[in-house]
Amino acid sequence: FYPDHAWEWAGFWYGLWMVIYGFFGGVLIHRLYMAGKLIRVPAWVAVAFVFASIAVPTNDATHGLYSAFGATVLMPVLLMISANAPVSGVMARVCSVLGTLSYGIYVVHVPLWEGMKLAIAKFDLEYMPSWIAPIAVALVSAVVAALLNKFFDPPLRALLKRWLLKRKP
């Protein structure tokens, strides 16, 4: 449903709608969570919901509609059931690690993917099985995110904290 070249002015209204919807939808979900009005389900239900959402078959005719439905309905529902799902033990540790890495992966995966596409074209690796590149990018993204979280983020946060706390309001 988004226009071709959505990053250009033609996609401005689409992008504006996505930002407004995402922000206010997030505020609503947060308020429901803080008010204790979200349902409480086991964590495995949220995981099953993710896999069921991904497993829905689409084709060229239905892909856009399902993507729009997923972004506007399924993902907010997933967020609501996941936010209140109790986790403990190993599952809590896994969730903590994945949560810590998620933003870093989000930041670095596109540049790494574009670099992978350039490397595939440059070194004539088109014959490679199609599943190798996404898995390689996912693994490298996770490693880079972990390194950034360990060596880049803490010193930068400390520097900003010192700088911002020195300033007078």
Side-chain angles (χ1 to χ4, degrees), residues 21 44 51 58 68 78 85 95-96 103 108 110 113 115 127 141 155 165:
Y21 176 80
W44 67 266
F51 283 106
T58 62
L78 175 64
C95 289
S96 177
Y103 184 71
V108 301
V110 171
W113 179 252
Y127 62 86
S141 295
L165 291 178

Side-chain angles (χ1 to χ4, degrees), residues 14-87:
Y14 167 78
L16 183 64
W17 164 249
M18 292 305 293
V19 169
I20 290 170
Y21 176 80
F23 176 78
F24 289 108
V27 169
L28 174 64
I29 292 170
H30 177 71
R31 288 188 178 190
L32 290 171
Y33 174 77
M34 295 305 288
K37 297 195 180 198
L38 295 181
I39 61 170
R40 192 169 181 93
V41 298
W44 67 266
V45 171
V47 173
F49 188 88
V50 169
F51 283 106
S53 299
I54 293 170
V56 172
T58 62
N59 57 34
D60 289 342
T62 61
H63 181 74
L65 183 60
Y66 185 70
S67 292
F69 177 71
T72 57
V73 177
L74 291 180
M75 291 304 111
V77 168
L78 175 64
L79 181 58
M80 287 189 284
I81 65 172
S82 299
N84 218 17
V87 292

Side-chain angles (χ1 to χ4, degrees), residues 52-142:
S53 299
I54 293 170
V56 172
T58 62
N59 57 34
D60 289 342
T62 61
H63 181 74
L65 183 60
Y66 185 70
S67 292
F69 177 71
T72 57
V73 177
L74 291 180
M75 291 304 111
V77 168
L78 175 64
L79 181 58
M80 287 189 284
I81 65 172
S82 299
N84 218 17
V87 292
S88 60
V90 173
M91 185 65 159
R93 180 73 180 132
V94 169
C95 289
S96 177
V97 169
L98 291 176
T100 300
L101 294 179
S102 66
Y103 184 71
I105 291 171
Y106 168 74
V107 168
V108 301
H109 83 281
V110 171
L112 289 173
W113 179 252
E114 293 301 321
M116 177 66 78
K117 289 191 322 190
L118 286 173
I120 288 170
K122 172 85 173 158
F123 298 109
D124 287 328
L125 299 173
E126 286 86 6
Y127 62 86
M128 183 173 57
S130 62
W131 57 269
I132 291 177
I135 289 176
V137 169
L139 293 174
V140 172
S141 295

